[in-house]
Amino acid sequence: MIQSELSTIYSHLIALYGQFTGPAVFERLRAILERYRELPAFRGERQHHILSERDSVLIIYGDQLRERNTRPLQTLNNFCGQYLSGLVNSIHILPFFPYSSDDGFSVSNYRAVNPAFGRWDDVSRLGRHFRLMFDAVINHISVHHEWFQAFLRDEPRYRDYFIVVDGAPDLSQVVRPRAQPLLTRFDTDAGPRQVWTTFSTDQVDLNFKNPDVLLEIIDLLLFYVDHGAELIRLDAIAYLWKEIGTSCIHLPQTHRIVRLFRAVLDVLAPHVLLITETNVPHRDNLSYFGDGEDEAQMVYNFALPPLVLHTFSTGNGAALSKWAAELTLPSHRTTFFNFLASHDGIGINPARGILSDSEIDGLVERAIRHGGLVSYKDDPSGTPVPYELNINYFDALSHQGAQESLSTQVDRFMTAQAIMLALVGVPGIYFHSLFGSRGWRAGVDLTGRNRSLNRQKFELPAFEGELMDESSLRYQVFSRYAQLLVARSASSAFHPHGEQKVLDCGTVIFALLRVSPDGDQRVLCLHNISDQTQNATVNWEDVFGLSSGQGTDLIDLTDHPLNGSLALQPYQTLWLRIRK
C-alpha cells in the first residue's frame, strides 16, 4: 500500500480518536487491510470506477418476484437477465440480509443472506451480469443482532457498542427523523439501560465513538466488496455520530468517517463507489460530496422527486428549472444519484427552502386526494410536521378516479421519468416505476405501515401475464421506459460527468441542454409538462451557433428541422441530437 494513502487513513483515525488511541487503531486497521489484500477480489490493478451514459440502477427487493420451488434471488436473476439486459447495468438489491423489521433495514446478521431469499452464490450469479449495489445499514442494527444480544448479557466486549444515556440530559437539539422517543429502555444483566434508538425501538444505534465498532464496520464494507458489491449505499449516514448537546446530524465526525471509508476503498478497491443516502435539505445533502475527491462519489438527489411532482401538480416548471440551473458538482469524479421513487416515500424536507410552505402543503394535500398517506415527525416544539408522502409515484401524478385516458396518464408519467433520466447523474429506477405499478393500499392494512403502500411483491406468473398484455399499464410503461433507456445510452451527451444547461422555453416546457464531456455531442431535451400542445422556441443561433440544421429525436428516431419553434404534444418528450 502506498504510504501517502496510509497517511490519509492515519490522519482520519487521529482526528477521530486522538493521539493516544488513534495510532493503535491504525495498526489494527492496517492488519485488516493486509488480510483483505490477499483475497482474489482485491488482487491486481484495479482502476477507479468510470461511469458512462450506459449506467443506470434498478432498485428492487431480493424477493420482489416469487415462483414455486425457486429461491427468490434465482428468480430475480432470471427475470433481470430476460427483461433488463441492455437496459440497466446495475442492480440495487435492497437489504437481503436476515432482519427483524422495516422490510430489511433492521439487520440481524450483516454477513448472511436471508435464507428466505437465497444464498451468497445467488448474489454472485446476479453479479456476473449486472453491477451490484449493497446497502450498508450501519447507523443501527436489529435488537436481535448477536452484538446487541451480547450487550444485553453484559458481555464486556459489547458494553460500549451502543449508546447508553444515563440520567435525563437535554436532548432537545437532536434532529428527529421520526415522531417517537429517541431513547428506549432495555433490561440487561447489569440492570435497566436507556439506549439510543433513532429510528425505532427495534433499531439500536451503533456507537462509533468506540473504535471497535468502526473497525467492525470497515471490515464489513470490505466483506461486501469481496462478495461482489461495486456500489455501496450508506443508509441514513447523516446520523452516524452522536454528541449530546448538538443536533447529532451531519457532525464533523460523521463526515470524517465517510472520508475514512473512501480512503480505505481507494486503497483496496478503487472501482467501488460510495453513495450517501441523506433525506435532508438539499444543501446539507450536497455536503457529502466533500471537496469532490474525498467523500461520496454520488449522493441521492432527494430534492428531485418532490420538485418534479410539484412541477406536474401545478403545470409550472419554474421552481424545477431554477433549482436545476443551480446544480453544480464539485469535481468530475462526483455526480448525482437521480430518482423519483424508491422503497421509501417521497421525502418533502429536501424541498424546504426551494418550495414555499404553501407549495409543500399543496403536495401533501395532493397525496391525500390521490389515495396516499402522509408520515409525520415532531419539530423541536413537539408539533407533528409532514416529512414524507407515502404514495406510488404514478398515483401521485394521476388520480385513479380521474376522467382521463390511460394513455394520457402514461404520457404524463413517462415525461416525469424522462426529466429524471435527462438530468446530469446516474438514474436510479424503482421496480414499481419501471413496471407501472399502482399503490398497494391492502399492504398498509396488512402491515400497519404507511411505506407498505409502495412495496408490493408479486408472484412471477401473474406478473408476467400482466406484462405481456399490450393493453395493460405494466406493458405500456415498461415498453416506453425501455425506449427512454435505449435513447439515453445512445449518446454520450447524457454522460454523468457531462455538462447541462437549463434553457428558458417558458414555464410549461422543461428544457435542458446536455453536452458530452468532450463537447462532441449535444442533446436538447424538451419536456412538455402540460396537457396542451406547446411551442418550444429556441434561439438556435445563441445556443448552438446555428441558423438552421436538423435534430434527430433519440426516442423515436424522427428528424426535426431546427428553424423556429418546435411543437410538442401534451406531455411529450423530445430528446434531439443536434447536427449542423
Side-chain angles (χ1 to χ4, degrees):
M1 285 176 277
I2 300 173
Q3 191 61 40
S4 62
E5 294 172 328
L6 289 177
S7 66
T8 299
I9 293 172
Y10 181 85
S11 67
H12 291 321
L13 293 172
I14 296 298
L16 288 168
Y17 300 114
Q19 292 287 348
F20 181 75
T21 301
V25 179
F26 172 75
E27 292 304 323
R28 292 171 61 194
L29 177 53
R30 183 154 65 173
I32 293 172
L33 302 184
E34 291 292 348
R35 174 162 52 84
Y36 275 98
R37 277 187 69 195
E38 300 304 315
L39 298 179
F42 298 89
R43 291 179 188 159
E45 286 292 322
R46 304 302 292 267
Q47 299 298 314
H48 282 281
H49 189 98
I50 299 176
L51 296 168
S52 81
E53 63 277 5
R54 296 180 178 86
D55 283 288
S56 56
V57 182
L58 174 71
I59 305 166
I60 190 169
Y61 281 100
D63 63 340
Q64 188 76 64
L65 299 164
R66 305 166 181 144
E67 55 184 334
R68 295 185 62 181
N69 303 318
T70 306
R71 296 190 296 272
L73 285 171
Q74 288 183 317
T75 299
L76 176 62
N77 185 29
N78 295 336
F79 180 87
C80 291
Q82 179 177 350
Y83 291 97
L84 301 182
S85 292
L87 297 181
V88 300
N89 65 355
S90 303
I91 308 289
H92 173 197
I93 318 174
L94 289 160
F96 52 87
F97 319 109
Y99 69 95
S100 56
S101 66
D102 200 16
D103 288 336
F105 285 90
S106 183
V107 179
S108 56
N109 187 338
Y110 280 132
R111 294 173 182 261
V113 174
N114 189 332
F117 293 2
R119 306 187 305 230
W120 275 117
D121 61 340
D122 297 320
V123 176
S124 298
R125 193 172 297 113
L126 185 63
R128 293 172 194 161
H129 306 288
F130 298 91
R131 280 210 319 272
L132 299 181
M133 185 194 297
F134 289 9
D135 282 285
V137 189
I138 56 175
N139 178 73
H140 50 263
I141 62 171
S142 165
V143 297
H144 299 280
H145 194 288
E146 62 180 1
W147 297 349
F148 192 68
Q149 291 299 304
F151 167 83
L152 295 177
R153 295 190 297 268
D154 196 36
E155 294 183 15
R157 175 180 174 183
Y158 296 98
R159 286 174 183 162
D160 294 326
Y161 265 52
F162 306 95
I163 304 167
V164 176
V165 178
D166 296 321
D170 181 4
L171 301 175
S172 60
Q173 294 186 54
V174 176
V175 172
R176 303 288 294 114
R178 299 286 185 271
Q180 58 199 32
L182 180 65
L183 305 179
T184 301
R185 181 183 182 276
F186 292 94
D187 292 321
T188 78
D189 287 356
R193 294 286 185 268
Q194 286 191 112
V195 182
W196 202 292
T197 51
T198 296
F199 289 94
S200 79
T201 57
D202 185 51
Q203 294 165 296
V204 188
D205 288 51
L206 289 166
N207 179 20
F208 281 84
K209 289 184 179 179
N210 179 354
D212 292 348
V213 171
L214 179 69
L215 294 176
E216 290 263 28
I217 294 304
I218 291 176
D219 191 289
L220 176 69
L221 298 183
L222 296 175
F223 173 85
Y224 287 164
V225 173
D226 188 44
H227 283 73
E230 294 190 45
L231 303 100
I232 295 178
R233 175 184 182 270
L234 299 177
D235 176 69
I237 194 69
Y239 302 94
L240 202 68
W241 192 280
K242 283 80 174 178
E243 290 284 351
I244 292 175
T246 74
S247 65
C248 296
I249 187 171
H250 314 307
L251 295 187
Q253 296 92 333
T254 293
H255 283 283
R256 178 74 67 171
I257 288 175
V258 176
R259 300 212 298 272
L260 175 60
F261 291 163
R262 171 71 180 271
V264 166
L265 291 173
D266 280 351
V267 167
L268 284 187
H271 64 291
V272 175
L273 300 179
L274 288 176
I275 304 177
T276 51
E277 188 263 342
T278 53
N279 189 355
V280 295
H282 186 65
R283 184 182 299 275
D284 295 325
N285 192 23
L286 297 184
S287 70
Y288 288 86
F289 280 135
D291 66 6
E293 300 288 339
D294 63 350
E295 287 195 47
Q297 289 97 336
M298 283 193 274
V299 300
Y300 270 71
N301 206 350
F302 271 105
L304 183 59
L307 282 174
V308 170
L309 179 58
H310 168 77
T311 296
F312 284 88
S313 300
T314 61
N316 187 324
L320 176 65
S321 293
K322 182 177 185 299
W323 170 80
E326 295 171 354
L327 287 178
T328 57
L329 293 165
S331 80
H332 70 281
R333 295 183 63 186
T334 60
T335 197
F336 297 103
F337 187 75
N338 293 324
F339 71 109
L340 291 184
S342 74
H343 57 289
D344 293 336
I346 302 169
I348 52 179
N349 284 339
R352 296 190 186 278
I354 303 171
L355 300 179
S356 68
D357 288 347
S358 63
E359 288 171 329
I360 289 175
D361 289 342
L363 295 182
V364 172
E365 293 165 5
R366 181 184 182 89
I368 294 170
R369 284 199 315 272
H370 286 212
L373 300 167
V374 180
S375 293
Y376 293 83
K377 69 172 186 174
D378 291 342
D379 68 11
S381 69
T383 303
V385 293
Y387 76 88
E388 184 178 86
L389 310 179
N390 302 111
I391 188 169
N392 173 281
Y393 212 85
F394 194 99
D395 290 341
L397 291 172
S398 302
H399 195 301
Q400 292 208 38
Q403 298 300 309
E404 60 182 4
S405 68
L406 181 63
S407 63
T408 296
Q409 295 180 16
V410 171
D411 287 345
R412 181 192 296 116
F413 180 72
M414 296 315 306
T415 295
Q417 301 300 313
I419 289 173
M420 183 271 289
L421 293 173
L423 285 165
V424 65
V426 172
I429 307 163
Y430 190 37
F431 175 88
H432 289 293
S433 291
L434 184 60
F435 291 102
S437 294
R438 306 300 297 247
W440 186 43
R441 192 58 181 258
V444 178
D445 298 336
L446 183 67
T447 67
R449 297 190 300 272
N450 286 2
R451 285 178 168 177
S452 296
L453 194 145
N454 200 27
R455 295 181 176 183
Q456 186 176 8
K457 297 171 184 178
F458 304 97
E459 297 299 322
L460 180 63
F463 184 85
E464 285 190 312
E466 286 188 70
L467 194 54
M468 294 298 102
D469 177 0
E470 294 188 10
S471 67
S472 73
L473 175 60
R474 293 203 189 283
Y475 177 90
Q476 292 183 45
V477 168
F478 178 59
S479 58
R480 294 274 296 275
Y481 225 128
Q483 265 191 312
L484 288 175
L485 289 168
V486 170
R488 186 179 187 278
S489 66
S491 175
S492 59
F494 292 109
H495 194 289
H497 299 313
E499 297 179 22
Q500 72 177 24
K501 180 180 180 181
V502 176
L503 305 180
D504 183 6
C505 288
T507 60
V508 292
I509 293 177
F510 179 70
L512 193 70
L513 175 66
R514 290 299 314 274
V515 183
S516 61
D518 61 7
D520 187 54
Q521 293 199 29
R522 294 186 170 205
V523 173
L524 175 63
C525 305
L526 300 172
H527 311 88
N528 183 357
I529 63 172
S530 79
D531 59 1
Q532 303 292 319
T533 298
Q534 303 290 342
N535 290 316
T537 301
V538 179
N539 189 320
W540 304 106
E541 186 71 38
D542 287 351
V543 177
F544 301 106
L546 303 173
S547 56
S548 64
Q550 195 170 63
T552 300
D553 182 14
L554 293 172
I555 301 170
D556 66 10
L557 303 182
T558 56
D559 290 332
H560 298 262
L562 308 181
N563 49 9
S565 62
L566 292 164
L568 275 76
Q569 298 303 307
Y571 300 121
Q572 184 182 2
T573 293
L574 282 177
W575 284 352
L576 296 176
R577 180 160 50 196
I578 305 303
R579 301 193 310 273
K580 292 186 178 181

